[in-house]
Amino acid sequence: METRPPIDAAESINLWYKCTGCQEVVFRGELERNLYICSYCNALFPLLAGKRLEYLFDEASATNIRLTDAAGLTAEGTISGYPTCLFIADIDVIPIEIDTSLLLSSIEDALEKRIPLITIAACQPEGYKETLAETTYLTMQMERLVDASLPHITVLTENEIHPLATHLPLGELVIVEGAATPRKPTPPNLQPALHAPEEQLLTQTPTKEIEEPDISVDCYIRREALPEMLGRFLKFFSI
């Protein structure tokens, strides 16, 4: 589950952030060195698109970077030495604010250079009112990647909602950044006690909670392991 830094007018110069997971105060420099992961409880702080680009791509490999204000970016580069096109929708961007021209340009670049496409977006609550109008058209364009036998990997972030949902078309491989979010415990089952008035209730011991896997997700990967694992997947697809 991800935790959020405080939002205020001085956020850009704030040196301390309070983790909403464990309530500890974390130094900004420590967060930056630790991929914005709380060093006390391992909760994830959100990453801006630019930060994601830095930690996913090999050093100095990013080229052809295109970005829009607070909406995301697209770029080309290598992960573990394997070339890829990358599209990142920035955190907290609702579907109608996503610049689909960026995503479409990533698809065209992947097709032209015959390299995989990786799309990264935050999970959105299911049934979000303002859905992405171009979803159908984007899906049709992404099918061109399938026709060209080019991999499309989707990475979902901000996975504290359940069930996981997004309004962007998914790739054939779906990864969630972080651990699986446990479901809420089953409430106790109250039953009338034997040989007692009906008003007297006994609490039955709840059955052990079973966490059902999300059928739309192929795997959950820790943030710090994501670049290496993406490199392995890209290596597999290149064979």
Side-chain angles (χ1 to χ4, degrees):
M1 180 178 293
E2 299 203 358
T3 183
R4 296 188 176 278
I7 300 175
D8 54 44
E11 181 179 9
S12 60
I13 60 174
N14 192 7
L15 297 179
W16 299 92
Y17 294 112
K18 186 175 183 179
C19 175
T20 56
C22 64
Q23 306 303 313
E24 291 287 346
V25 177
V26 188
F27 180 55
R28 178 175 179 173
E30 182 179 355
L31 280 176
E32 292 176 347
R33 291 189 295 271
N34 201 33
L35 296 177
Y36 284 82
I37 303 172
C38 178
S39 55
Y40 296 98
C41 68
N42 293 324
L44 301 180
F45 285 76
L47 275 178
L48 295 175
K51 291 292 184 181
R52 288 194 177 277
L53 181 69
E54 291 177 11
Y55 97 93
L56 283 179
F57 274 172
D58 299 335
E59 187 176 357
S61 71
T63 61
N64 198 21
I65 301 175
R66 309 184 190 98
L67 67 160
T68 56
D69 293 339
L73 61 82
T74 181
E76 297 172 32
T78 61
I79 299 177
S80 298
Y82 294 93
T84 185
C85 287
L86 181 66
F87 169 81
I88 307 175
D90 220 335
I91 56 175
D92 295 331
V93 174
I94 63 176
I96 58 172
E97 292 177 346
I98 293 177
D99 190 341
T100 56
S101 65
L102 286 178
L103 182 50
L104 290 170
S105 67
S106 287
I107 297 173
E108 292 297 334
D109 290 342
L111 288 167
E112 178 183 350
K113 300 178 181 179
R114 298 200 58 78
I115 55 179
L117 172 67
I118 298 177
T119 55
I120 301 178
C123 295
Q124 296 286 351
E126 192 175 33
Y128 196 90
K129 294 181 180 179
E130 301 289 352
T131 189
L132 186 62
E134 295 87 350
T135 298
T136 302
Y137 180 70
L138 283 172
T139 301
M140 294 173 58
Q141 294 304 305
M142 286 183 175
E143 288 177 354
R144 297 169 59 198
L145 297 171
V146 177
D147 295 338
S149 300
L150 292 174
H152 173 203
I153 301 173
T154 297
V155 178
L156 298 177
T157 66
E158 324 287 315
N159 69 324
E160 63 269 22
I161 69 170
H162 185 84
L164 298 179
T166 177
H167 295 285
L168 283 179
L170 297 174
E172 59 263 32
L173 177 62
V174 179
I175 298 170
V176 173
E177 179 186 62
T181 304
R183 293 175 181 237
K184 294 181 179 179
T186 304
N189 185 14
L190 300 178
Q191 297 292 336
L194 297 177
H195 310 297
E198 291 185 0
E199 291 78 10
Q200 182 180 356
L201 299 178
L202 293 179
T203 302
Q204 291 185 348
T205 303
T207 56
K208 184 177 180 181
E209 180 184 352
I210 300 177
E211 183 178 319
E212 299 179 4
D214 192 317
I215 60 173
S216 65
V217 175
D218 294 297
C219 57
Y220 291 79
I221 299 177
R222 302 188 317 273
R223 174 176 289 175
E224 62 271 26
L226 190 56
E228 178 187 356
M229 293 305 298
L230 283 175
R232 293 186 181 184
F233 286 128
L234 292 172
K235 179 180 179 180
F236 171 80
F237 286 126
S238 69
I239 297 175

